[in-house]
Amino acid sequence: MASRAEALTAAERGEVWAQPEPELMVGDQVMALSRPGVDGAGGSCACSYREGDIGSVTSVGARMCYVTWERTGRTSKHDAARWRRELLLVLEVEDRVRAVRRQSYIVDGTEHFGEGDVGTVVRKDGEKYYIMWARTLKATGIPREAWPEYCERVRQLEVGDRVRALPGRSLAADGVEFYSEGDVGQVERADAETCHIRWERTRQTSVVQQARWAKLCRPFGQVKARLSMFNVFDRNHDGEVSLAEWRAVFARMDANRDGAVTRKEWQLLDEDTALFDTIPRKFRSQISVQEWEDAFRKLD
């Protein structure tokens, strides 16, 4: 007999589940390219937006998506399969991306990322996104208008991600409420097909298809631990981590000044121990000064 969570997956799958999922999500910000759009009423609306305007995605369907523009307050509609001709997705700090370049990206003889590498947007300004790559720990500045040539946004949820239910979305089964709009949940389990989300208010767990979670909820704060650690390392905010900065972080974490950083000392500075666990070391629960510097040279 299927569990309530498993039965729930089948129920959720019924909502236009077989149709292609657009890559835009409600709440995404987009920038207008040069072509004018069509307003929600179906008329011509060159006045709705112009090149460079910023808007928010207010609705996404199987065939059309709708954008409300900050400057004019008007809403335009766009073909869900061809929106890239008219709109450029604006990445946000904390967004995850995957590199699509077939060749490694080299800066001053050092590899920053290669095809398939996953990175996180750690900072942005008017001209560039700064992406920190998980494998190399390098931060790369990529022109904002050209970022799709280098990477794609990662749409799968991962264990530890936090999400918020979208407006109008709620779920109850067999008299049990799972979530309602605005509720916050955390991914407890995830694979290529599904993710299990435990909701804080109801303490219930629902199962959502990876291909369609964007219709139900929106991630937020999912990589704060990774970002906080990067900001601790990159003290001058130049998008690079120098050996001096690397050593300074060790000194800051080594609270008792014994020449080793324990897991507990690490967690006092950052809750995410993923980097701690990847550094080769003799003892499982601590990293020595020499092991710390050896790790920098391997990553550099």
Side-chain angles (χ1 to χ4, degrees):
M1 181 176 180
S3 67
R4 182 181 289 115
E6 290 169 342
L8 184 59
T9 303
E12 291 183 339
R13 199 179 283 154
E15 298 180 12
V16 202
W17 149 251
Q19 297 185 1
E21 180 75 20
E23 293 186 11
L24 286 178
M25 299 190 296
V26 172
D28 279 343
Q29 278 201 326
V30 293
M31 183 177 73
L33 301 179
S34 58
R35 295 183 59 183
V38 176
D39 65 17
S44 174
C45 68
C47 58
S48 289
Y49 66 87
R50 63 189 179 204
E51 183 177 359
D53 278 356
I54 299 296
S56 296
V57 178
T58 53
S59 178
V60 178
R63 297 183 179 179
M64 305 297 295
C65 59
Y66 294 80
V67 178
T68 298
W69 299 96
E70 294 179 359
R71 183 178 60 84
T72 65
R74 299 195 66 176
T75 299
S76 59
K77 66 179 181 180
H78 307 264
D79 189 317
R82 301 180 179 180
W83 61 268
R84 291 178 187 81
R85 298 182 180 182
E86 301 169 350
L87 310 171
L88 176 67
L89 177 65
V90 175
L91 293 178
E92 302 294 339
V93 171
E94 298 191 2
D95 275 353
R96 282 194 297 263
V97 296
R98 180 180 292 108
V100 296
R101 286 174 59 102
R102 294 186 177 181
Q103 296 181 333
S104 295
Y105 189 86
I106 308 295
V107 178
D108 296 331
T110 300
E111 182 190 23
H112 278 224
F113 62 91
E115 184 178 11
D117 278 349
V118 174
T120 302
V121 179
V122 295
R123 186 161 57 93
K124 66 178 184 177
D125 56 30
E127 297 181 354
K128 293 183 178 181
Y129 294 114
Y130 296 87
I131 300 172
M132 183 180 73
W133 301 97
R135 179 174 62 85
T136 65
L137 283 185
K138 295 296 183 182
T140 310
I142 295 178
R144 293 185 64 164
E145 295 188 11
W147 74 263
E149 299 175 16
Y150 297 85
C151 51
E152 61 185 1
R153 185 171 63 176
V154 175
R155 292 179 52 80
Q156 287 193 335
L157 292 177
E158 297 180 356
V159 172
D161 284 351
R162 301 188 76 208
V163 297
R164 190 187 304 278
L166 290 173
R169 291 299 187 182
S170 61
L171 191 64
D174 299 331
V176 176
E177 181 187 16
F178 285 80
Y179 62 86
S180 61
E181 64 177 82
D183 277 354
V184 172
Q186 186 165 5
V187 179
E188 291 186 323
R189 291 166 49 196
D191 56 32
E193 300 296 329
T194 62
C195 55
H196 297 240
I197 301 173
R198 182 172 177 80
W199 299 94
E200 294 178 359
R201 182 178 62 83
T202 65
R203 298 184 180 180
Q204 298 292 331
T205 299
S206 62
V207 181
V208 180
Q209 296 290 322
Q210 288 278 20
R212 60 182 315 281
W213 62 263
K215 286 193 171 188
L216 307 174
C217 56
R218 176 75 175 172
F220 75 101
Q222 68 267 39
V223 290
K224 283 184 179 177
R226 300 174 206 176
L227 295 177
S228 63
M229 179 54 75
F230 178 78
N231 289 329
V232 167
F233 276 70
D234 186 24
R235 301 181 73 179
N236 63 1
H237 303 293
D238 66 349
E240 295 282 348
V241 177
S242 67
L243 179 57
E245 289 171 328
W246 186 263
R247 287 171 172 167
V249 171
F250 186 93
R252 180 177 173 183
M253 289 190 290
D254 185 14
N256 60 3
R257 300 294 185 267
D258 65 351
V261 171
T262 65
R263 181 181 294 273
K264 184 176 181 179
E265 287 174 327
W266 183 286
Q267 289 178 319
L268 289 174
L269 185 64
D270 183 69
E271 294 180 356
D272 188 354
T273 60
L275 179 57
F276 181 96
D277 293 332
T278 62
I279 293 177
R281 56 196 184 278
K282 181 178 180 180
F283 299 105
R284 182 177 180 181
S285 61
Q286 68 179 41
I287 301 171
S288 69
V289 173
Q290 188 59 54
E291 290 167 339
W292 183 253
E293 296 205 0
D294 288 345
F296 179 84
R297 294 184 180 94
K298 290 179 180 179
L299 290 168
D300 190 25

